[in-house]
């Protein structure tokens, strides 16, 4: 196995045994990126020399016996996670670029743990698309099929993880932005409970989370990422959680299986078959699987759509005309639909976040965990903004993911199969609020149950 393909767990074992060094691992990873990146375009602010300096410092710490928790592990961060000295364009050509004054909490925690930041990763304008399409970044593509989209908004993070740009990647998620690209790129992505991983800026539904090739690597990251930070007023109090204790008894667990979200795109047959087959594996291992009926409605989503359109429109309308013109046309068209919304409609739209939260928590309460598709459809055309590419119907593909942002529940994507053309299919595993470890454990058990995976894509 090539060095860039080794997991974080394997690399730490090799560093401890002195059979590998952070410098040689980073050099191998950089060489692999050079082969992939001209076509994949997953990275922003790629700085090999700065990364090599970090790797040399890590190597020195290992030699002195002073290694940190994640010392010498190659890392990428989504570009909207501020890192000191690097501008955050937020995926948009309309952004005025200014170096970040400080690390946001996820960047600070990973730096403190000794991870080697080799680059930031791409995202669409303002993170408002499930796509690798951006007015600032080049088009990011899916390594499984370069004619397909990696999804978003953590587009570059998912593509980088699937392509083998090192083991550790951090994305963000407000409606599916970790889980959707993770599902479409065949990697593991965890959207933690709101407040589990401190983030800045913090607002309703927004979280940061790990994106990796294995569940164990994501669990390893959680030990650092979940440390508290006062700058996030929604952050949870410190807890002593054994993040790497990933075994879970499946016998007797009650699992809900949701195959109908109540609105949005219909689940395509290949996706349905893969998710149902995953549920049968849990059943064969002793879990009790029962159907979970749809619990969200079209009116909830239309209200939420109006609220987010107006929020985005107010930001866009405040920009000078020449900067407005630089925003991706799809985003401008979507947001402009809110120009005439009044106060009553806005209030009703905002209230749908609470309605979604109550519906999701209530529906999931009878179960230990809930299984569902991540997306009803596999990866779509690389140049499209969404699976249907229609700004007037922007949320049709996020019916399974969005509710769990509003309900603040932990939810993960893990690969459960492939289409006839070889595209990954994501299984969503959702737990009760604050049971992030349980979601990791169930995901790790599924990782052991599932069939051998197809080889990772190569440049």
């Amino acid at each position: 196995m090539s060095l860039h393909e080794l997991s974080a767990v394997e690399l730490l074992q090799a560093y401890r045994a002195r059979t590998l060094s952070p410098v040689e691992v980073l050099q191998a990873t950089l060489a692999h990126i050079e082969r992939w990146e001209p076509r994949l375009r997953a990275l922003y602010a790629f700085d090999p020399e700065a990364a090599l300096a970090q790797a040399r410092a890590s190597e020195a710490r290992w030699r002195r016996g002073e290694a940190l928790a994640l010392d010498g592990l190659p890392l990428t961060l989504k570009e909207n996670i501020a890192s000191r000295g690097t501008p955050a364009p937020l995926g948009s050509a309309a952004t005025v670029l200014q170096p970040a004054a400080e690390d946001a909490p996820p960047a600070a925690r990973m730096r403190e743990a000794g991870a080697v930041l080799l680059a930031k990763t791409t995202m669409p304008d303002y993170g408002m698309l499930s796509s690798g399409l951006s007015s600032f970044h080049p088009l990011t593509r899916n390594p499984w099929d370069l004619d397909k989209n990696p999804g978003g908004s953590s587009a570059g993070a998912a593509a980088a993880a699937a392509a083998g740009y090192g083991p550790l990647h951090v994305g963000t998620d407000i409606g599916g932005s970790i889980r959707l690209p993770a599902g479409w790129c065949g990697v593991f992505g965890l959207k933690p409970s709101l407040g589990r991983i401190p983030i800045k800026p913090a607002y309703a539904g927004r979280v940061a989370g790990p994106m990796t090739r294995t569940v164990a690597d994501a669990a390893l990251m959680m030990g650092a990422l979940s440390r508290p930070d006062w700058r996030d007023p929604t952050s949870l109090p410190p807890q002593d959680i054994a993040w790497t204790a990933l075994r879970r008894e499946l016998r007797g667990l009650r699992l809900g299986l949701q195959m109908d979200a109540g609105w949005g795109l219909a689940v395509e047959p290949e996706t349905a078959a893969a998710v149902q087959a995953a549920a049968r594996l849990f059943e064969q291992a002793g879990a009790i699987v029962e159907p979970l009926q749809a619990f969200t409605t079209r009116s909830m989503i239309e209200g939420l759509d109006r609220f987010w359109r107006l929020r985005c429109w107010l930001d866009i309308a405040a920009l000078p005309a020449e900067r407005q013109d630089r925003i991706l046309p799809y985003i401008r068209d979507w947001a402009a639909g809110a120009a005439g919304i009044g106060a009553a409609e806005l209030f009703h739209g905002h209230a749908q976040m609470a309605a979604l939260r109550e519906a999701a928590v209530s529906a999931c309460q009878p179960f230990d965990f809930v299984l569902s598709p991540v997306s009803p459809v596999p990866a779509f055309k690389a140049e499209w903004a969404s699976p249907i590419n229609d700004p007037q119907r922007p949320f049709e593909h996020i019916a399974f993911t969005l509710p769990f942002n509003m309900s603040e529940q932990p939810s993960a994507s893990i690969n459960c199969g492939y289409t006839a053309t070889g595209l990954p299919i994501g299984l969503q595993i959702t737990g009760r609020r604050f049971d992030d470890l349980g979601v990791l454990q169930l995901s790790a058990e599924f990782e052991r149950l599932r069939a051998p995976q197809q080889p990772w894509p190569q440049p």
Side-chain angles (χ1 to χ4, degrees):
M1 182 179 289
S2 301
L3 296 187
H4 69 269
E5 293 183 299
L6 293 175
S7 71
V9 172
E10 291 168 329
L11 287 176
L12 288 179
Q13 290 171 343
Y15 293 164
R16 290 189 193 102
R18 305 291 177 91
T19 57
L20 288 176
S21 79
V23 171
E24 64 182 312
V25 168
L26 182 66
Q27 288 171 334
T29 303
L30 294 175
H32 180 68
I33 290 171
E34 286 180 7
R35 294 190 290 271
W36 250 131
E37 185 60 9
R39 286 172 289 174
L40 207 59
R41 309 307 294 267
L43 301 183
Y44 162 69
F46 181 37
D47 192 342
E49 288 306 314
L52 281 167
Q54 295 171 62
R56 293 187 189 104
S58 172
E59 187 173 72
R61 287 191 294 272
W62 279 103
R63 286 175 178 164
R64 295 194 304 267
E66 299 173 357
L68 303 167
L70 303 177
D71 225 326
L73 299 177
L75 164 76
T76 73
L77 297 171
K78 189 175 177 180
E79 60 104 320
N80 65 342
I81 299 171
S83 55
R84 186 176 61 252
T86 302
L90 306 178
S92 178
T95 303
V96 175
L97 298 181
Q98 296 178 327
E102 63 179 4
D103 287 337
R109 298 296 86 79
M110 298 304 283
R111 198 186 299 274
E112 291 161 1
V116 174
L117 178 60
L118 58 90
K120 308 299 283 290
T121 50
T122 61
M123 61 181 282
D125 290 55
Y126 308 122
M128 296 306 295
L129 293 179
S130 301
S131 173
L133 190 63
S134 162
S135 64
F136 180 86
H137 300 293
L139 177 64
T140 303
R141 296 177 181 272
N142 191 319
W144 290 92
D145 181 344
L146 294 175
D147 290 329
K148 300 298 183 184
N149 207 293
S153 63
S154 303
Y165 288 19
L168 305 184
H169 310 270
V170 182
T172 65
D173 192 315
I174 195 172
S177 288
I178 287 173
R179 289 155 293 158
L180 287 161
W184 285 324
C185 290
V187 302
F188 179 75
L190 174 67
K191 181 208 79 67
S193 300
L194 186 75
R196 179 68 70 199
I197 294 175
I199 194 169
K200 182 182 179 182
Y203 48 83
R206 184 176 190 242
V207 299
M211 302 179 73
T212 57
R213 285 183 169 188
T214 69
V215 178
D217 280 2
L220 195 66
M221 295 174 76
M222 289 299 293
L225 289 170
S226 63
R227 290 174 54 205
D229 193 303
W230 68 267
R231 293 174 294 168
D232 181 354
T234 71
S235 62
L236 299 174
Q239 278 187 276
D240 186 15
I241 297 174
W243 289 109
T244 56
L246 294 177
R247 296 309 302 238
R248 183 72 176 246
E249 175 58 56
L250 298 179
R251 189 165 301 280
L253 282 182
R254 292 193 66 195
L255 307 181
L257 176 60
Q258 184 189 18
M259 297 303 300
D260 177 9
W263 59 279
L265 294 174
V267 179
E268 291 194 355
E270 285 182 309
T271 297
V275 171
Q276 289 163 343
R280 286 195 295 274
L281 288 177
F282 282 117
E283 272 189 319
Q284 292 163 9
I288 302 162
V289 178
E290 299 172 340
L292 171 60
Q293 301 305 315
F295 56 84
T296 58
T297 66
R298 173 67 67 178
S299 63
M300 290 177 182
I301 305 313
E302 288 176 346
L304 200 67
D305 183 25
R306 287 193 293 271
F307 172 79
W308 284 107
R309 281 184 197 239
L310 185 56
R311 184 183 186 276
C312 191
W313 176 247
L314 292 174
D315 289 341
I316 291 173
L319 298 175
E322 66 274 12
R323 285 172 59 197
Q324 292 185 32
D325 290 342
R326 299 174 194 168
I327 296 169
L328 197 71
Y330 181 103
I331 295 294
R332 290 204 314 268
D333 292 348
W334 169 71
I341 288 177
E345 283 184 288
L346 175 62
F347 178 83
H348 176 266
H350 184 269
Q352 299 316 299
M353 286 193 282
L356 275 165
R357 179 172 62 244
E358 292 172 9
V361 170
S362 176
C364 295
Q365 188 58 33
F367 304 103
D368 297 300
F369 300 94
V370 168
L371 311 177
S372 72
V374 172
S375 164
V377 297
F380 52 97
K381 291 182 181 180
E383 297 80 9
W384 281 17
S386 77
I388 59 174
N389 207 34
D390 181 357
Q392 303 314 313
R393 299 173 63 210
F395 291 172
E396 300 302 298
H397 57 293
I398 65 173
F400 290 102
T401 55
L402 175 63
F404 300 121
N405 291 84
M406 300 302 104
S407 68
E408 306 176 9
Q409 294 170 252
S411 189
S413 172
I414 187 166
N415 193 58
C416 67
Y418 304 88
T419 67
T421 58
L423 295 175
I425 297 170
L427 168 70
Q428 183 169 246
I429 298 176
T430 301
R432 293 174 179 169
R433 291 179 71 206
F434 313 129
D435 189 17
D436 304 72
L437 179 59
V439 169
L440 285 169
Q441 289 171 333
L442 201 69
S443 299
E445 293 297 341
F446 179 69
E447 204 173 40
R448 286 184 275 270
L449 292 173
R450 69 185 179 182
Q453 300 295 281
Q454 294 184 13
W456 292 103
Q458 298 297 325

